[in-house]
Amino acid sequence: MIGGLANFVLETATSPGTGAFILNGPETGRRPFSAAFRSGQAVFYFADDGSNAEWGLGTLTIGTPSTLARTTILGTTSGAMQALNFTGTVEVYNEIPAERMPILDESGDLTILNGHQFSTVGLYTEVSGGVYDTNLIKGTAPNGTIYQIVLREYAGSHYSMLHYIYDGTNFHIYEMPQTPYNGGRLICPAGTGAVLSDLAKYQPAGDYATAQSLAAEAQTRAGADGTLQTNINNEAATRINADNALQTNIATETQARIAADNALNSTKANVAGGNNLTGPQAITDGNQFTTTGRYSEVTGNTYDTDLIKGTSPNGTIFQIAMREYAGSHYSMLHYIFDGTNFSIYEMPQTAYNGGRLQCPAGTGAVLSDLPFSDPNLKMQIFSASVAKSGGQARVNFPTAFKAGTVPFVFMTSTRSLNRGYACIPMFQDDASGNPLIDNQGFTIYTTTGSGDNNDAQYTQYLAIGYF
């Protein structure tokens, strides 16, 4: 059980005997337990009546009044490991007992007793209702830049890993959620991260402003379709062969992982028995935790060095590792596993895959992948049925563009819906010869054509502009 710890928490209790402390409220200048912790949380406590004292872990129940159950007795001034019988007024305050205090030895190493992971589980803050942050690592670089890694719990929803960077001017937050939220996409200062599959429906960048360019593009696409079908057939055959090879590799990898797990379990420290972690596990300057030299070979010439690993209060496992692809590059790996969903984020060096994030949703995309040189341009494709009236007609965009801007609009026409009659749609001009186009829509003029003047014509539009 991990005890909660907060500053200036002190209340009194009257004649609790050996039972739970019924809290009277804080003394002057101090805070009540209910202001620092949530109901049901385990917290450290000291109880002192001026003659005798007791310390341990209690369970807080917030109410009117609040109570603190004496769940685990860590020590007393009498030497007995059981609750003292207090018959008068007792001061009950929050402080960490010596039994749970981390202390550096003469070599500057930290001995961690009764646990095998370095973590700050239980040291959390409530950001907003039902949202809690657990600090994992925090420090300051030599140039003063502040960095912090936090596990955020959205109660009843999901977990995210948050990275904070603050250089004194700019404050950046990168959020890496589990797969069930936002499709496992990175949330960064520029917005929600895209992956390559998001770009499948976009046309490549190019000049589509003239009929000649459109005709050339159509011819190019027709040739590309034939090549694509050939490539699809070849890819299907390649995938079948790859699937067969993958099944073989999976079986081999499974055996290798079992052997690696057995080897790991046989060599890891049994800190529950009181082992001291020294040497490679070292706190070098007071604000960093490193495991230098502790690595495992994942596959041939691929090595993982664990940087930090732990378990949150509800059992979610998190891990950060440095992966070395020998002779190729390095990557930072983030793992989150809540017992059901296993999410991996890989951040490789620029030399590999262009430095793109590998996340549960796919390979991360960047601005240069967008179809336009200006990333703020957006497009709308829509259709409308316009009466062949020989006069003007107003067509509105499905979504209005940015006020004060004039988008580019392209249109095509078809034969009429019912009897094959046709007319020609044209943009209506104003008195100065400019097309009547604004951010809300545009005005067209249709010729009467031939046949029934009341027949309707189906027209398609492509609009490009700013939102």
Side-chain angles (χ1 to χ4, degrees), residues 106-432:
E106 63 275 7
S107 300
D109 293 329
L110 176 65
T111 299
I112 303 176
L113 301 177
N114 301 323
H116 66 278
Q117 299 168 6
F118 181 85
S119 60
T120 57
V121 176
L123 299 181
Y124 71 91
T125 55
E126 185 170 11
V127 180
S128 60
V131 180
Y132 304 92
D133 279 359
T134 299
N135 294 327
L136 305 180
I137 188 169
K138 182 178 182 181
T140 303
N143 69 343
T145 297
I146 298 172
Y147 56 88
Q148 185 174 1
I149 302 176
V150 171
L151 179 64
R152 173 163 289 181
E153 175 188 359
Y154 296 89
S157 174
H158 68 283
Y159 286 81
S160 288
M161 292 291 290
L162 274 69
H163 284 234
Y164 298 87
I165 303 175
Y166 177 62
D167 61 4
T169 302
N170 301 296
F171 185 72
H172 302 291
I173 301 177
Y174 291 81
E175 181 170 357
M176 291 169 282
Q178 290 178 285
T179 304
Y181 177 74
N182 203 31
R185 297 170 183 266
L186 175 71
I187 302 173
C188 60
T192 300
V195 293
L196 291 181
S197 59
D198 294 326
L199 308 177
K201 297 182 179 180
Y202 284 93
Q203 291 178 308
D207 177 16
Y208 299 96
T210 65
Q212 182 178 1
S213 298
L214 290 172
E217 178 66 15
Q219 184 176 359
T220 301
R221 288 301 177 91
D225 285 344
T227 302
L228 176 61
Q229 188 58 53
T230 300
N231 292 339
I232 289 174
N233 295 336
N234 294 337
E235 178 66 14
T238 301
R239 288 298 177 92
I240 292 173
N241 294 333
D243 286 344
N244 294 334
L246 177 61
Q247 293 301 320
T248 301
N249 292 338
I250 288 174
T252 302
E253 177 67 13
T254 299
Q255 296 301 317
R257 288 299 176 94
I258 292 173
D261 287 344
N262 293 337
L264 178 62
N265 289 330
S266 66
T267 58
K268 66 183 180 181
N270 179 20
V271 291
N275 294 17
N276 295 337
L277 300 181
T278 59
Q281 274 87 17
I283 297 179
T284 58
D285 60 7
N287 64 19
Q288 299 177 19
F289 181 76
T290 59
T291 56
T292 55
R294 299 292 185 180
Y295 69 91
S296 59
E297 184 174 9
V298 181
T299 58
N301 294 327
T302 300
Y303 305 92
D304 279 0
T305 298
D306 291 335
L307 302 181
I308 188 169
K309 181 178 181 182
T311 304
S312 69
N314 75 336
T316 296
I317 297 172
F318 54 87
Q319 183 176 356
I320 302 174
M322 170 74 80
R323 173 162 289 181
E324 175 188 0
Y325 297 91
S328 174
H329 67 284
Y330 288 84
S331 288
M332 290 292 291
L333 274 69
H334 285 238
Y335 302 85
I336 304 176
F337 178 60
D338 62 2
T340 302
N341 301 292
F342 185 72
S343 306
I344 301 177
Y345 290 80
E346 180 170 357
M347 293 172 282
Q349 289 178 290
T350 305
Y352 176 73
N353 201 29
R356 295 171 182 267
L357 173 72
Q358 307 294 310
C359 61
T363 299
V366 295
L367 290 179
S368 61
D369 296 319
L370 296 175
F372 303 118
S373 59
D374 185 345
N376 295 315
L377 281 174
K378 308 293 182 182
M379 73 170 80
Q380 299 187 68
I381 300 176
F382 61 99
S383 59
S385 180
V386 180
K388 191 179 65 177
S389 61
Q392 297 182 9
R394 175 71 176 179
V395 177
N396 291 322
F397 299 124
T399 301
F401 287 92
K402 182 178 180 180
T405 65
V406 178
F408 293 97
V409 181
F410 305 90
M411 65 178 168
T412 63
S413 61
T414 64
R415 303 178 72 186
S416 62
L417 294 174
N418 298 320
R419 285 170 291 282
Y421 302 119
C423 64
I424 300 175
M426 297 172 286
F427 289 113
Q428 180 68 37
D429 291 348
D430 59 17
S432 300

Side-chain angles (χ1 to χ4, degrees), residues 77-90:
T77 51
S78 69
M81 299 297 287
Q82 59 187 19
L84 296 180
N85 184 16
F86 292 111
T87 59
T89 300
V90 183

